[in-house]
Amino acid sequence: MELLRLIIENFLGYRSADIDCTLFNSVLIIAQGTTDARESNGAGKSSLFKAIEYVLFGQHEAKTLDELVRWGTDLAKV
């Protein structure tokens, strides 16, 4: 299976994201705080992988599906 595009709306911390995977052959997702390279900045790196896991395999770590929907919204799409 080849992931061609990832479109996310109101999933976990993401309001919206549209990633065209045909634009690259491989990717490294990194982010860091400004003071300590060992600290995550909470930019949503793990949420991207959780979205892929959910859409491809229907699996998630949340207790309920409502926990995957961004706070303050009623519907999420991946």
Side-chain angles (χ1 to χ4, degrees):
M1 183 176 300
E2 185 176 349
L3 181 63
L4 300 176
R5 188 172 203 161
L6 181 63
I7 301 171
I8 302 171
E9 294 179 20
N10 298 322
F11 185 84
L12 295 174
Y14 279 92
R15 177 175 294 151
S16 98
D18 186 348
I19 303 168
D20 183 354
C21 301
T22 64
L23 299 176
F24 45 82
N25 292 322
S26 61
V27 66
L28 173 64
I29 301 172
I30 60 171
Q32 65 186 37
T34 57
T35 58
D36 188 345
R38 297 171 296 177
E39 293 180 9
S40 169
N41 65 354
K45 300 173 296 294
S46 297
S47 296
L48 285 176
F49 291 104
K50 288 177 183 184
I52 294 168
E53 179 180 46
Y54 180 69
V55 76
L56 291 180
F57 307 110
Q59 298 177 351
H60 59 84
E61 297 175 356
K63 292 178 185 175
T64 66
L65 286 175
D66 287 340
E67 293 179 22
L68 299 176
V69 179
R70 188 171 185 265
W71 182 260
T73 62
D74 296 325
L75 178 70
K77 296 180 184 179
V78 180

XYZ file of all heavy atoms in Angstrom:
610
model
N 0.844 -1.171 0.000
C 0.000 0.000 0.000
C 0.894 1.240 0.000
O 1.882 1.293 0.719
C -0.899 -0.008 1.232
C -1.843 1.142 1.265
S -3.001 1.102 2.646
C -3.848 -0.422 2.334
N 0.529 2.196 -0.797
C 1.312 3.420 -0.908
C 0.456 4.611 -0.476
O -0.631 4.835 -1.001
C 1.760 3.602 -2.361
C 2.673 4.764 -2.565
C 3.166 4.858 -4.004
O 2.957 3.911 -4.781
O 3.751 5.887 -4.345
N 0.952 5.346 0.483
C 0.262 6.539 0.961
C 0.539 7.676 -0.017
O 1.687 8.070 -0.199
C 0.755 6.903 2.363
C 0.129 8.120 3.024
C -1.359 7.902 3.247
C 0.824 8.404 4.341
N -0.497 8.165 -0.675
C -0.333 9.228 -1.660
C -0.609 10.613 -1.086
O 0.028 11.591 -1.469
C -1.253 8.982 -2.857
C -1.030 7.670 -3.606
C -2.073 7.507 -4.700
C 0.370 7.619 -4.173
N -1.576 10.681 -0.174
C -1.957 11.977 0.372
C -2.577 11.777 1.745
O -3.303 10.811 1.958
C -2.960 12.630 -0.565
C -3.280 14.044 -0.223
C -4.111 14.659 -1.309
N -3.943 16.094 -1.240
C -4.228 16.896 -2.216
N -4.685 16.419 -3.346
N -4.060 18.184 -2.075
N -2.293 12.667 2.644
C -2.872 12.620 3.977
C -3.594 13.935 4.220
O -2.969 14.997 4.233
C -1.782 12.393 5.034
C -2.252 12.305 6.476
C -3.181 11.112 6.675
C -1.056 12.200 7.409
N -4.895 13.847 4.373
C -5.711 15.030 4.651
C -6.318 14.844 6.041
O -6.976 13.841 6.302
C -6.824 15.211 3.597
C -6.197 15.362 2.207
C -7.689 16.420 3.947
C -7.206 15.324 1.082
N -6.081 15.804 6.914
C -6.538 15.726 8.303
C -7.372 16.967 8.611
O -6.977 18.084 8.286
C -5.341 15.687 9.274
C -4.438 14.499 8.973
C -5.824 15.655 10.716
C -3.137 14.524 9.744
N -8.516 16.760 9.249
C -9.345 17.868 9.724
C -9.809 17.561 11.140
O -10.423 16.516 11.381
C -10.556 18.077 8.815
C -10.221 18.535 7.423
C -11.455 18.695 6.550
O -12.571 18.816 7.090
O -11.289 18.689 5.323
N -9.485 18.432 12.070
C -9.931 18.338 13.462
C -9.598 17.005 14.119
O -10.370 16.482 14.915
C -11.432 18.626 13.569
C -11.765 20.023 13.125
O -11.025 20.956 13.390
N -12.863 20.174 12.422
N -8.450 16.458 13.798
C -7.987 15.208 14.381
C -6.908 15.522 15.407
O -5.901 16.145 15.078
C -7.434 14.290 13.290
C -7.034 12.928 13.778
C -7.970 11.916 13.898
C -5.723 12.661 14.123
C -7.605 10.654 14.339
C -5.341 11.406 14.564
C -6.284 10.397 14.682
N -7.134 15.119 16.663
C -6.239 15.434 17.773
C -5.944 16.934 17.768
O -6.873 17.727 17.825
C -4.983 14.559 17.712
C -5.247 13.063 17.905
C -3.981 12.254 17.682
C -5.817 12.779 19.282
N -4.704 17.351 17.693
C -4.387 18.781 17.746
C -4.449 19.506 16.415
O -4.274 20.718 16.355
N -4.713 18.796 15.334
C -4.705 19.401 13.999
C -6.053 19.998 13.626
O -7.064 19.317 13.656
C -4.326 18.359 12.938
C -2.857 18.132 12.834
C -2.240 17.142 13.580
C -2.061 18.915 12.006
C -0.879 16.932 13.510
C -0.700 18.715 11.925
C -0.116 17.730 12.678
O 1.233 17.536 12.604
N -6.043 21.257 13.255
C -7.249 21.872 12.687
C -7.385 21.387 11.249
O -8.431 20.916 10.840
C -7.153 23.392 12.720
C -8.361 24.060 12.058
C -8.342 25.553 12.194
N -8.505 25.886 13.595
C -8.017 26.962 14.168
N -7.335 27.829 13.465
N -8.196 27.196 15.443
N -6.288 21.515 10.490
C -6.297 20.973 9.134
C -4.871 20.824 8.630
O -3.994 21.602 8.981
C -7.137 21.854 8.207
O -6.403 22.740 7.465
N -4.675 19.781 7.842
C -3.375 19.534 7.217
C -3.630 18.758 5.936
O -4.526 17.915 5.868
C -2.464 18.736 8.140
N -2.868 19.060 4.912
C -2.965 18.373 3.631
C -1.536 18.109 3.165
O -0.817 19.020 2.789
C -3.717 19.237 2.630
C -3.980 18.529 1.309
O -3.392 17.454 1.064
O -4.772 19.059 0.517
N -1.129 16.839 3.223
C 0.241 16.466 2.887
C 0.228 15.607 1.628
O -0.335 14.513 1.626
C 0.898 15.693 4.051
C 0.865 16.542 5.317
C 2.321 15.291 3.688
C 1.227 15.789 6.572
N 0.822 16.116 0.558
C 0.920 15.391 -0.709
C 2.195 14.558 -0.668
O 3.303 15.074 -0.823
C 0.951 16.375 -1.873
C 0.973 15.701 -3.221
O 1.076 14.460 -3.286
O 0.889 16.426 -4.232
N 2.055 13.275 -0.442
C 3.205 12.380 -0.277
C 3.897 12.040 -1.590
O 4.958 11.414 -1.583
C 2.758 11.104 0.428
S 2.051 11.425 2.047
N 3.331 12.459 -2.709
C 3.976 12.204 -3.994
C 5.102 13.197 -4.270
O 5.846 13.040 -5.227
C 2.955 12.262 -5.150
O 2.422 13.591 -5.250
C 1.832 11.254 -4.939
N 5.249 14.197 -3.417
C 6.267 15.229 -3.616
C 7.632 14.825 -3.064
O 8.607 15.539 -3.265
C 5.825 16.539 -2.960
C 4.532 17.143 -3.511
C 4.151 18.386 -2.719
C 4.684 17.467 -4.988
N 7.700 13.686 -2.366
C 8.969 13.261 -1.784
C 9.045 11.738 -1.755
O 8.045 11.047 -1.834
C 9.159 13.829 -0.375
C 7.938 13.715 0.500
C 7.651 12.543 1.168
C 7.072 14.791 0.648
C 6.536 12.431 1.978
C 5.944 14.686 1.445
C 5.684 13.507 2.112
N 10.258 11.213 -1.685
C 10.478 9.769 -1.619
C 10.571 9.269 -0.185
O 10.224 8.132 0.108
C 11.760 9.383 -2.360
C 11.611 9.606 -3.846
O 10.556 9.357 -4.393
N 12.656 10.093 -4.483
N 11.095 10.082 0.688
C 11.177 9.743 2.103
C 11.074 11.037 2.903
O 11.251 12.132 2.361
C 12.482 9.015 2.417
O 13.580 9.831 2.123
N 10.798 10.881 4.184
C 10.611 12.067 5.014
C 11.106 11.791 6.424
O 11.041 10.668 6.908
C 9.123 12.495 5.017
C 8.256 11.454 5.691
C 8.936 13.836 5.668
N 11.617 12.830 7.048
C 12.011 12.785 8.439
C 11.278 13.923 9.131
O 11.428 15.087 8.738
C 13.530 12.958 8.570
C 14.082 13.086 9.976
C 13.842 11.798 10.759
C 15.560 13.423 9.930
N 10.485 13.591 10.110
C 9.708 14.602 10.816
C 10.386 14.885 12.143
O 10.466 14.010 13.002
C 8.255 14.136 11.037
C 7.602 13.847 9.697
C 7.476 15.173 11.828
C 6.256 13.203 9.801
N 10.887 16.101 12.295
C 11.558 16.482 13.529
C 11.083 17.865 13.958
O 10.615 18.660 13.149
C 13.094 16.492 13.395
C 13.539 17.473 12.311
C 13.615 15.116 13.098
C 15.027 17.699 12.267
N 11.198 18.114 15.220
C 10.945 19.447 15.772
C 11.598 19.470 17.138
O 11.797 18.429 17.757
C 9.453 19.724 15.883
N 11.962 20.629 17.590
C 12.596 20.719 18.895
C 12.328 22.074 19.516
O 12.029 23.032 18.820
C 14.098 20.486 18.790
C 14.831 21.544 17.994
C 16.280 21.190 17.799
O 16.617 20.052 17.610
N 17.136 22.189 17.832
N 12.436 22.099 20.809
C 12.310 23.357 21.514
C 13.501 24.244 21.227
O 14.539 23.792 20.743
N 13.387 25.491 21.536
C 14.466 26.427 21.227
C 15.608 26.370 22.228
O 16.713 26.776 21.917
C 13.930 27.862 21.168
O 13.301 28.158 22.425
C 12.944 28.039 20.036
N 15.362 25.827 23.417
C 16.416 25.820 24.429
C 17.065 24.457 24.630
O 18.218 24.392 25.027
C 15.867 26.303 25.786
O 14.793 25.457 26.179
C 15.388 27.735 25.681
N 16.361 23.376 24.367
C 16.909 22.042 24.603
C 16.482 21.118 23.468
O 15.300 20.815 23.317
C 16.432 21.501 25.947
C 17.122 20.206 26.340
O 17.763 19.563 25.476
O 17.013 19.822 27.514
N 17.431 20.647 22.676
C 17.130 19.809 21.507
C 16.517 18.477 21.892
O 15.924 17.797 21.061
C 18.405 19.573 20.701
N 16.623 18.098 23.169
C 16.048 16.824 23.606
C 14.577 16.930 23.955
O 13.903 15.932 24.183
C 16.821 16.303 24.812
C 18.281 15.989 24.485
C 19.045 15.704 25.731
N 19.050 16.941 26.529
C 19.582 17.062 27.738
N 20.124 16.028 28.312
N 19.567 18.199 28.384
N 14.026 18.121 23.996
C 12.625 18.325 24.362
C 11.759 18.488 23.119
O 12.124 19.181 22.184
C 12.478 19.572 25.225
C 13.118 19.443 26.582
C 12.944 20.695 27.418
O 12.189 21.597 27.006
O 13.558 20.760 28.486
N 10.606 17.839 23.123
C 9.637 18.001 22.047
C 8.944 19.343 22.199
O 8.783 19.849 23.307
C 8.598 16.875 22.116
O 7.527 17.142 21.252
N 8.498 19.898 21.099
C 7.793 21.176 21.178
C 6.282 21.018 21.043
O 5.564 21.991 20.967
C 8.313 22.146 20.121
C 8.020 21.675 18.718
O 7.529 20.570 18.509
N 8.331 22.499 17.748
N 5.775 19.789 20.990
C 4.336 19.568 20.904
C 3.739 20.010 19.579
O 2.611 20.479 19.517
N 4.482 19.885 18.498
C 4.035 20.353 17.190
C 3.079 19.396 16.486
O 2.501 19.749 15.476
C 5.245 20.615 16.296
N 2.926 18.169 16.993
C 1.986 17.233 16.379
C 2.623 16.126 15.563
O 1.969 15.518 14.716
N 3.891 15.867 15.814
C 4.591 14.808 15.066
C 3.923 13.456 15.295
O 3.605 12.746 14.343
C 6.061 14.752 15.490
C 6.827 16.043 15.238
C 8.218 16.018 15.827
C 8.260 15.928 17.329
N 7.744 17.081 18.058
N 3.667 13.107 16.526
C 3.029 11.827 16.849
C 1.609 11.764 16.312
O 1.132 10.705 15.903
C 3.014 11.600 18.357
O 4.322 11.510 18.849
N 0.925 12.890 16.292
C -0.449 12.918 15.786
C -0.520 12.549 14.310
O -1.495 11.941 13.865
C -1.079 14.294 16.009
O -1.177 14.562 17.386
N 0.501 12.916 13.537
C 0.543 12.522 12.124
C 0.570 11.006 11.998
O -0.167 10.415 11.200
C 1.767 13.108 11.428
C 1.736 14.587 11.093
C 3.070 15.008 10.495
C 0.603 14.897 10.148
N 1.405 10.361 12.790
C 1.498 8.907 12.734
C 0.235 8.238 13.264
O -0.195 7.208 12.760
C 2.746 8.419 13.471
C 4.004 8.790 12.759
C 4.797 9.820 13.220
C 4.376 8.128 11.596
C 5.951 10.184 12.550
C 5.534 8.477 10.918
C 6.320 9.509 11.397
N -0.380 8.849 14.266
C -1.647 8.310 14.780
C -2.746 8.417 13.728
O -3.595 7.535 13.606
C -2.042 9.028 16.055
C -1.158 8.652 17.226
C -1.518 9.415 18.477
C -0.549 9.038 19.594
N -0.895 9.676 20.856
N -2.739 9.488 12.943
C -3.725 9.644 11.866
C -3.527 8.573 10.802
O -4.487 7.969 10.322
C -3.621 11.041 11.251
N -2.287 8.314 10.435
C -1.987 7.276 9.441
C -2.394 5.907 9.973
O -3.033 5.120 9.269
C -0.492 7.310 9.051
C -0.169 8.603 8.310
C -0.130 6.097 8.208
C 1.313 8.860 8.128
N -2.067 5.631 11.212
C -2.431 4.348 11.829
C -3.954 4.175 11.860
O -4.475 3.107 11.558
C -1.867 4.287 13.250
C -2.197 3.019 13.989
C -1.628 3.004 15.388
O -1.752 4.015 16.116
O -1.056 1.975 15.751
N -4.662 5.244 12.180
C -6.119 5.173 12.256
C -6.745 4.939 10.883
O -7.607 4.087 10.712
C -6.684 6.442 12.892
C -8.180 6.416 12.990
C -8.820 5.552 13.852
C -8.953 7.235 12.177
C -10.199 5.495 13.925
C -10.329 7.193 12.248
C -10.944 6.322 13.117
O -12.314 6.272 13.169
N -6.295 5.685 9.878
C -6.925 5.582 8.566
C -6.575 4.272 7.863
O -7.404 3.698 7.164
C -6.609 6.811 7.684
C -5.202 6.766 7.129
C -7.612 6.938 6.549
N -5.369 3.759 8.054
C -4.977 2.522 7.383
C -5.449 1.266 8.102
O -5.835 0.288 7.464
C -3.455 2.458 7.214
C -2.832 3.438 6.231
C -1.325 3.240 6.182
C -3.439 3.295 4.847
N -5.420 1.297 9.437
C -5.688 0.085 10.198
C -6.903 0.172 11.118
O -7.283 -0.821 11.733
C -4.455 -0.291 11.028
C -3.199 -0.378 10.205
C -2.193 0.559 10.351
C -3.041 -1.384 9.264
C -1.036 0.493 9.589
C -1.882 -1.462 8.496
C -0.888 -0.517 8.656
N -7.485 1.358 11.256
C -8.638 1.520 12.136
C -8.277 1.381 13.607
O -9.145 1.133 14.433
N -7.020 1.554 13.947
C -6.562 1.400 15.327
C -6.246 2.758 15.936
O -5.770 3.669 15.258
C -5.312 0.527 15.376
C -5.546 -0.874 14.883
C -4.266 -1.701 14.871
O -3.176 -1.194 15.083
N -4.405 -2.981 14.614
N -6.513 2.863 17.226
C -6.184 4.079 17.958
C -6.002 3.728 19.428
O -6.468 2.686 19.892
C -7.261 5.151 17.776
C -8.617 4.705 18.225
N -9.025 4.778 19.533
C -9.641 4.149 17.542
C -10.259 4.310 19.628
N -10.656 3.914 18.446
N -5.312 4.592 20.146
C -5.039 4.370 21.558
C -6.071 5.021 22.469
O -6.055 4.805 23.677
C -3.649 4.917 21.908
C -2.528 4.221 21.186
C -1.182 4.863 21.464
O -1.133 5.896 22.159
O -0.179 4.328 20.982
N -6.964 5.813 21.904
C -7.939 6.535 22.715
C -8.974 5.579 23.309
O -9.262 4.527 22.741
C -8.641 7.592 21.848
N -9.519 5.959 24.446
C -10.565 5.147 25.082
C -11.851 5.190 24.260
O -12.577 4.212 24.176
C -10.827 5.643 26.501
C -9.664 5.398 27.440
C -9.943 5.933 28.822
C -8.706 5.770 29.698
N -8.901 6.392 30.999
N -12.130 6.352 23.657
C -13.309 6.513 22.800
C -12.904 7.291 21.554
O -11.890 8.005 21.554
C -14.445 7.289 23.514
O -14.005 8.634 23.742
C -14.814 6.641 24.840
N -13.708 7.185 20.513
C -13.436 7.943 19.292
C -13.533 9.453 19.532
O -12.855 10.233 18.873
C -14.400 7.527 18.182
C -14.132 6.172 17.549
C -15.234 5.834 16.540
C -12.775 6.135 16.878
N -14.367 9.860 20.479
C -14.502 11.285 20.781
C -13.177 11.910 21.200
O -12.951 13.096 20.984
C -15.534 11.505 21.884
C -16.958 11.291 21.405
O -17.186 11.357 20.180
O -17.841 11.058 22.250
N -12.282 11.123 21.780
C -10.983 11.647 22.204
C -10.086 11.999 21.021
O -9.117 12.728 21.178
C -10.274 10.642 23.101
C -10.949 10.433 24.430
C -10.237 9.415 25.291
O -9.032 9.166 25.084
O -10.890 8.846 26.171
N -10.392 11.488 19.846
C -9.604 11.793 18.648
C -10.032 13.097 17.988
O -9.312 13.659 17.181
C -9.713 10.649 17.637
C -9.214 9.289 18.106
C -9.480 8.237 17.033
C -7.750 9.336 18.471
N -11.233 13.562 18.329
C -11.783 14.788 17.729
C -11.202 15.993 18.459
O -11.183 16.055 19.689
C -13.322 14.788 17.816
C -13.897 16.064 17.222
C -13.884 13.564 17.111
N -10.711 16.944 17.680
C -10.091 18.157 18.226
C -11.051 18.866 19.172
O -12.247 18.983 18.897
C -9.697 19.082 17.069
C -8.887 20.271 17.472
C -8.376 20.971 16.205
N -7.512 22.046 16.542
C -7.918 23.313 16.649
N -9.162 23.633 16.409
N -7.068 24.254 16.979
N -10.503 19.329 20.284
C -11.280 20.017 21.301
C -12.060 21.193 20.694
O -11.501 21.977 19.939
C -10.347 20.537 22.406
C -11.066 21.211 23.509
C -11.219 22.569 23.687
C -11.748 20.598 24.598
N -11.949 22.821 24.812
C -12.286 21.617 25.403
C -11.953 19.282 24.977
C -13.025 21.373 26.550
C -12.683 19.040 26.126
C -13.206 20.052 26.902
N -13.344 21.291 20.999
C -14.169 22.384 20.518
C -14.832 22.136 19.174
O -15.510 23.011 18.643
N -14.625 20.942 18.600
C -15.258 20.603 17.320
C -16.071 19.323 17.492
O -15.923 18.606 18.477
C -14.219 20.415 16.195
O -13.367 19.330 16.518
C -13.385 21.672 16.005
N -16.931 19.050 16.522
C -17.826 17.889 16.612
C -17.450 16.745 15.689
O -17.978 15.650 15.829
C -19.253 18.316 16.268
C -19.804 19.319 17.263
O -19.474 19.217 18.459
O -20.556 20.233 16.858
N -16.549 16.979 14.727
C -16.280 15.982 13.705
C -14.818 16.029 13.304
O -14.229 17.098 13.185
C -17.159 16.270 12.478
C -17.011 15.370 11.278
C -17.562 13.989 11.583
C -17.750 15.957 10.089
N -14.228 14.872 13.108
C -12.845 14.786 12.621
C -12.836 13.950 11.339
O -13.658 13.060 11.169
C -11.945 14.134 13.662
N -11.889 14.255 10.442
C -11.728 13.509 9.195
C -10.260 13.210 8.975
O -9.408 14.057 9.206
C -12.248 14.312 7.999
C -13.712 14.596 8.013
C -14.100 15.401 6.780
C -15.554 15.798 6.804
N -15.907 16.589 5.611
N -9.986 11.978 8.523
C -8.632 11.601 8.127
C -8.749 10.872 6.822
O -9.546 9.960 6.675
C -7.950 10.687 9.167
C -6.550 10.337 8.702
C -7.900 11.357 10.533
